[in-house]
Amino acid sequence: MAREFARVGVVGLGTMGAGIVEVFAKGGIEVVAVEVTEAAAAHGKEQIESSTARAVSRGKLAEDDRAALLKRVTVTTDMAQLGDVALVVEAVPERLELKSEVFAALDKVCAADTIFASNTSSLSITELSVRTQRPSKVVGMHFFNPAPVQPLVELVRTVVTEPDVVDDVRALAERLGKSPVVCGDRAGFIANQLLFTYLNQAVGMFESHYAGREDLDAAMKFGCGYPMGPLALMDLIGLDTAYEILEEMYRQSRNQRHAPAPILKQMITAGLLGRKTGRGFYTYAEPGSSQVVADALTPPPPGSDDATLRPISRVGVVGTGTMATGIAEVFAKAGYDVVVRGRSESKGEGAVAAVRKSLEKAVVKGKLTEEARDETLGRISTTVDFSGLAECDIVVEAIAEDLEVKQAAFSALDEVCKPGTILATTTSSLPVVECAAATSRPADVIGMHFFNPAAVMKLVEIVSPITTAPDVTATVRDLCAKIKKAPVLCGDRAGFIVNALLFPYLNDSVAMLDAHYATVDDIDSAMKNGCGLPMGPFALLDVVGLDVSLAIERSLYQEFRVPGFAPTPLLEHLVTAGRLGRKTGHGFRDYR
């Protein structure tokens, strides 16, 4: 039987502490909330009252329930009132010595079987536990902000934490309507360890001028469905807070990927801490505002810069697979004449049929008229010879992800296409410059990485090797905007933006599992419920395919030679065993 927690304590009534008090009280538990001064106690009580009043105004809490909730809360400056509680959650500022002092004081007033929990987001629970007289009854209980809303609670066990303590606290979290996950004692635990490693890498991309802030953020929002881009999220969290978390992660792990990007220290020194100061990676209307305003780094809209744009009216597509037909549909719907080159007439007819099927679905759903469908299909023609693409203004290659095959296609296009035609590749991992090298016009070659399904996904990564002419990049960026896509600019290196940020994070997740740090379900839950991601890493890996993921991770490691990018042995073993994900019915999970 799980232990009954009828009365608990919370020490510290800042934003997190006040939120935790509200969670417990809403769950029907009496709460003794302790602050160091009367002023701090009054401010904390006011936060709880204000938060619950907002919940009533939004229809999420009845007035009678609010009154009952507030009645369960006792706010005091006398720590001795915690003498009869079953659990105490410490929620004071992130300083090891301060938290240790709190636990030492609690040791003197609490019963021997009282469980001590810390809400720390990065400090070692083990280091905190050994400062007490009861290390076996100390756990991490990391709520996420705002605590009354966010479902995730990370429960952190040390090597000496009693299993019953973890089980009891987990049952309590579930009783409170939370989604608890259990993990070992590492800096950052699950969510922050995975999240901040990814955020730090994105900051490094920005610092090295590989991609602009808007492009980095748009890439992860539109390419992965993330609720916020990495740099906007850093501004929301606060650069000083992010720096402290990364520093603690690096102190414990000595992993170079956890070492804060140097630009963070510079920005913090300059007072650019994010939204709370009005400036961070972006500039805001005022301190605390979420409204971004233009500044010196804001890029001009597509087509509005000084570059001369090449005229585009006729588009060629090489390939008849899923990606090629999706791209053909996108251009034809936008009003462009499209020529699809297939290896045979039947392949070409199949491509047109695939477009017709997609358009029919849109008609059935009321998203497209029958007239628009017919007009779109009327703009698509097919050819079996590359010469049929001779008069195209841009040709987009969308064939197999094999460098030799792509180079042969670019060599053939180079021979038949008119001067000035832009030649684009949809590769997601191969070097664009290698395709350019197969032609006599490398300045006209560019990467145009659509995401699958191309007719739906808004993102297009525009990849410009060092050989690409500026007017080609400007033309393709403007073209993407005209076909209602979200273009992002980046250089020609493995993974571009999205894969270079996404797959190291996925690899880190597998490494966590391989180290028996946390379970598949707990890691997925942590990233969905704690970070608002559309899917957990293992669910996503099973969808992408473990073999595809392994190939991308190998290419990233080959390019950057970063130890943390090397595919984990567990991933390699699963692929060898034929557990490739949903497509084989078995991956990190089993599917029917």
Side-chain angles (χ1 to χ4, degrees):
M1 292 290 291
R3 182 174 179 178
E4 182 67 28
F5 293 91
R7 185 174 170 85
V8 303
V10 176
V11 180
L13 285 177
T15 302
M16 285 303 303
I20 293 168
V21 169
E22 183 180 335
V23 169
F24 282 128
K26 188 177 180 181
I29 299 172
E30 291 186 17
V31 187
V32 179
V34 181
E35 257 295 359
V36 290
T37 67
E38 293 289 352
H43 179 67
K45 186 175 182 180
E46 182 183 339
Q47 286 193 83
I48 298 166
E49 291 173 347
S50 297
S51 175
T52 53
R54 284 195 300 272
V56 170
S57 68
R58 294 170 181 171
K60 296 182 178 180
L61 186 68
E63 185 61 58
D64 289 347
D65 291 336
R66 175 178 183 259
L69 183 159
L70 294 175
K71 192 173 180 179
R72 296 186 195 105
V73 178
T74 300
V75 179
T76 180
T77 58
D78 182 10
M79 196 169 285
Q81 292 195 37
L82 296 171
D84 61 346
V85 301
L87 166 74
V88 181
V89 178
E90 162 277 307
V92 300
E94 286 286 274
R95 298 200 302 274
L96 181 64
E97 288 307 318
L98 176 59
K99 292 178 182 289
S100 298
E101 290 172 8
V102 169
F103 280 152
L106 290 171
D107 257 333
K108 296 176 181 178
V109 301
C110 292
D113 63 346
T114 299
I115 297 171
F116 290 173
S118 175
N119 185 55
T120 181
S121 62
S122 60
L123 298 177
S124 168
I125 302 300
T126 303
E127 288 187 46
L128 287 171
S129 72
V130 298
R131 309 288 184 98
T132 75
Q133 301 300 312
R134 62 187 83 201
S136 64
K137 295 190 182 299
V138 179
V139 295
M141 196 173 187
H142 179 214
F143 289 80
F144 282 67
N145 191 33
V149 176
Q150 290 279 50
L152 181 66
V153 177
E154 290 179 315
L155 303 181
V156 186
R157 63 180 187 276
T158 73
V159 292
V160 296
T161 304
E162 295 173 5
D164 286 349
V165 168
V166 177
D167 292 342
D168 289 344
V169 176
R170 181 167 196 158
L172 172 62
E174 290 172 345
R175 170 186 162 189
L176 296 171
K178 297 299 183 182
S179 299
V181 299
V182 178
C183 60
D185 186 20
R186 284 186 192 173
F189 313 136
I190 299 175
N192 280 353
Q193 187 174 149
L194 293 175
L195 175 66
F196 280 90
T197 309
Y198 148 73
L199 294 177
N200 199 38
Q201 186 185 346
V203 172
M205 280 187 173
F206 173 78
E207 185 175 23
S208 67
H209 302 286
Y210 174 69
R213 62 189 185 186
E214 286 87 356
D215 288 338
L216 284 164
D217 283 355
M220 300 312 289
K221 283 180 64 178
F222 295 120
C224 296
Y226 286 6
M228 295 183 74
L231 301 187
L233 181 55
M234 287 287 278
D235 276 356
L236 176 61
I237 293 168
L239 274 61
D240 52 342
T241 300
Y243 185 87
E244 289 174 3
I245 292 172
L246 285 165
E247 275 280 86
E248 182 62 24
M249 287 170 57
Y250 180 70
R251 184 184 74 81
Q252 292 189 35
S253 70
R254 289 295 183 260
N255 183 338
Q256 187 61 36
R257 293 171 62 219
H258 297 160
I263 195 175
L264 289 176
K265 186 68 171 179
Q266 298 169 34
M267 294 177 73
I268 292 167
T269 303
L272 309 179
L273 307 184
R275 286 190 188 182
K276 58 189 172 186
T277 59
R279 280 191 65 192
F281 288 103
Y282 293 90
T283 300
Y284 300 88
E286 59 183 4
S289 171
S290 62
Q291 181 186 349
V292 175
V293 296
D295 58 19
L297 296 181
T298 303
S304 63
D305 51 23
D306 295 332
T308 301
L309 303 180
R310 300 188 185 185
I312 304 291
S313 60
R314 191 173 181 83
V315 177
V317 176
V318 179
T320 55
T322 302
M323 184 60 75
T325 56
I327 293 169
E329 178 183 340
V330 167
F331 279 110
K333 284 169 68 175
Y336 293 91
D337 291 330
V338 180
V339 182
V340 176
R341 186 267 174 181
R343 287 175 294 175
S344 65
E345 289 185 6
S346 62
K347 291 284 187 181
E349 291 170 358
V352 174
V355 174
R356 181 181 291 107
K357 184 177 179 180
S358 175
L359 296 175
E360 287 288 357
K361 289 181 180 178
V363 171
V364 170
K365 293 178 181 178
K367 296 181 178 180
L368 192 72
T369 65
E370 293 185 359
E371 183 181 9
R373 174 202 61 196
D374 296 340
E375 289 177 354
T376 299
L377 288 170
R379 296 187 190 105
I380 302 175
S381 59
T382 63
T383 180
V384 295
D385 297 318
F386 280 103
S387 59
L389 306 171
E391 297 304 312
C392 290
D393 302 303
I394 183 171
V395 178
V396 181
E397 165 272 310
I399 55 179
E401 196 74 345
D402 181 295
L403 183 58
E404 289 187 4
V405 174
K406 289 183 183 292
Q407 285 180 320
F410 272 84
S411 178
L413 290 169
D414 185 40
E415 292 182 6
V416 302
C417 289
K418 64 183 180 181
T421 296
I422 296 172
L423 306 180
T425 175
T426 61
T427 182
S428 62
S429 59
L430 299 174
V432 177
V433 71
E434 296 281 2
C435 294
T439 74
S440 62
R441 57 176 96 188
D444 294 339
V445 178
I446 196 168
M448 203 173 177
H449 179 212
F450 287 80
F451 283 67
N452 193 35
V456 176
M457 296 290 284
K458 286 182 65 66
L459 184 67
V460 177
E461 289 178 317
I462 300 174
V463 187
S464 300
I466 57 174
T467 53
T468 303
D471 69 316
V472 170
T473 301
T475 299
V476 172
R477 182 169 181 253
D478 178 66
L479 178 62
C480 286
K482 288 177 177 175
I483 61 175
K484 298 181 180 179
K485 295 297 181 183
V488 298
L489 304 178
C490 60
D492 184 21
R493 67 187 200 191
F496 311 140
I497 297 175
V498 173
N499 284 352
L501 288 175
L502 176 63
F503 282 90
Y505 148 72
L506 296 176
N507 198 44
D508 289 343
S509 303
V510 179
M512 269 192 179
L513 179 67
D514 204 11
H516 304 286
Y517 177 68
T519 66
V520 165
D521 289 341
D522 280 352
I523 295 172
D524 272 1
S525 177
M527 300 315 291
K528 281 187 66 178
N529 295 317
C531 301
L533 303 189
M535 299 180 76
F538 297 106
L540 181 56
L541 280 161
D542 279 353
V543 168
V544 172
L546 273 60
D547 51 341
V548 174
S549 302
L550 178 60
I552 293 172
E553 288 175 11
R554 282 173 173 167
S555 70
L556 289 171
Y557 179 62
Q558 183 67 26
E559 176 104 336
F560 298 106
R561 308 300 172 94
V562 175
F565 286 9
T568 60
L570 176 58
L571 183 63
E572 303 239 17
H573 294 164
L574 289 170
V575 172
T576 301
R579 296 181 66 98
L580 307 184
R582 289 191 179 182
K583 59 188 173 186
T584 61
H586 304 281
F588 286 99
R589 292 186 174 89
D590 293 326
Y591 302 88
R592 292 182 179 179

